[in-house]
Amino acid sequence: MGSGNAIRGSRVGAGPMGEAERGEAAPRVRVPFWCANMHETRPSFASDAAVPEFWDCPRCGLPAGQDQSNPPAPPKNEPYKTHLAYVKERRSDKDGAQILAEALERLRSSSRPIY
Ligand SMILES: [Zn+2]
């Protein structure tokens, strides 16, 4: 009995059951990230692991950061970015809706069908 305890005690960092080496007993923390489209994702990390500065948004693929009010800017060469996405980048959703309403108004007034 004495010899077994001596060997086990010499392994610094391992728990009494050896669980620590596999990481199963390590507590995990969820860290929220927000992308430029305000998608929130909360990946979990081991509490002692380094949390990355950016995280890829699982919904739209844009980089997401931990500051909700200042998400990282989308890459300039985003292949599937739409015109609407560009508009939303510079303006709030409310302004975008206003622009859309004005555009529709212009469309109606300039090409109003006559019945
Ligand atoms: Zn997103």
Side-chain angles (χ1 to χ4, degrees):
M1 177 174 177
S3 61
N5 283 343
I7 291 172
R8 185 170 290 172
S10 68
R11 297 175 60 193
V12 178
M17 302 297 287
E19 292 295 310
E21 286 186 332
R22 297 209 303 266
E24 291 182 359
R28 298 182 74 80
V29 293
R30 287 194 172 276
V31 180
F33 289 84
W34 291 270
C35 75
N37 291 326
M38 285 296 126
H39 297 144
E40 180 180 347
T41 182
R42 298 169 72 90
S44 64
F45 302 92
S47 62
D48 59 347
V51 177
E53 186 177 1
F54 299 112
W55 191 260
D56 285 343
C57 174
R59 285 194 243 179
C60 66
L62 294 181
Q66 294 179 52
D67 186 352
Q68 184 178 14
S69 62
N70 187 26
K76 288 285 187 277
N77 59 349
E78 194 62 43
Y80 45 83
K81 175 171 293 187
T82 64
H83 176 70
L84 183 60
Y86 273 110
V87 172
K88 280 187 171 182
E89 260 180 48
R90 301 195 188 91
R91 301 170 185 277
S92 71
D93 284 348
K94 187 180 175 187
D95 285 343
Q98 180 67 25
I99 290 170
L100 187 63
E102 289 176 0
L104 286 173
E105 198 62 39
R106 271 200 300 275
L107 197 64
R108 284 201 205 96
S109 60
S110 63
S111 61
R112 186 192 300 275
I114 302 172
Y115 291 112

